Amino acid sequence: MSVIARIKPKGLFKKKMSIQEIIGYTNLSYGVCDENYRLIENEIAKHTLLYDNAKPARGIDISMDEFDEFCS
């Protein structure tokens, strides 16, 4: 199953969030996949994975689209 959620800042002073900020709000590990789909831990790229170490096969893909909004 797949779900897409968009994070859009609201209010008068819209502050863009970075991937590092979103990672900081969670207790999850992060990393990226290489061309062979092997996990490279503690790296951030265009598509960054958030996951629980107890269940590494389940996780959240965080990416930015062309409008600087986060999709997960």
Side-chain angles (χ1 to χ4, degrees):
M1 181 171 75
S2 176
V3 175
I4 296 175
R6 290 199 180 274
I7 300 172
K8 293 183 180 182
K10 301 260 184 202
L12 185 61
F13 302 103
K14 295 181 181 181
K15 180 183 176 236
K16 294 180 182 179
M17 294 180 73
S18 67
I19 292 178
Q20 291 87 349
E21 286 179 298
I22 293 180
I23 290 170
Y25 291 130
T26 68
N27 291 329
L28 300 172
S29 299
Y30 63 94
V32 297
C33 287
D34 67 6
E35 62 275 354
N36 295 313
Y37 298 103
R38 292 179 296 191
L39 180 64
I40 302 170
E41 297 180 16
N42 302 322
E43 283 197 25
I44 296 174
K46 184 176 179 182
H47 289 273
T48 301
L49 303 171
L50 295 178
Y51 60 92
D52 183 0
N53 279 329
K55 300 175 186 177
R58 306 248 180 207
I60 302 166
D61 175 25
I62 295 182
S63 62
M64 290 184 71
D65 65 11
E66 63 273 7
F67 303 109
D68 289 330
E69 296 170 352
F70 280 97
C71 301
S72 64

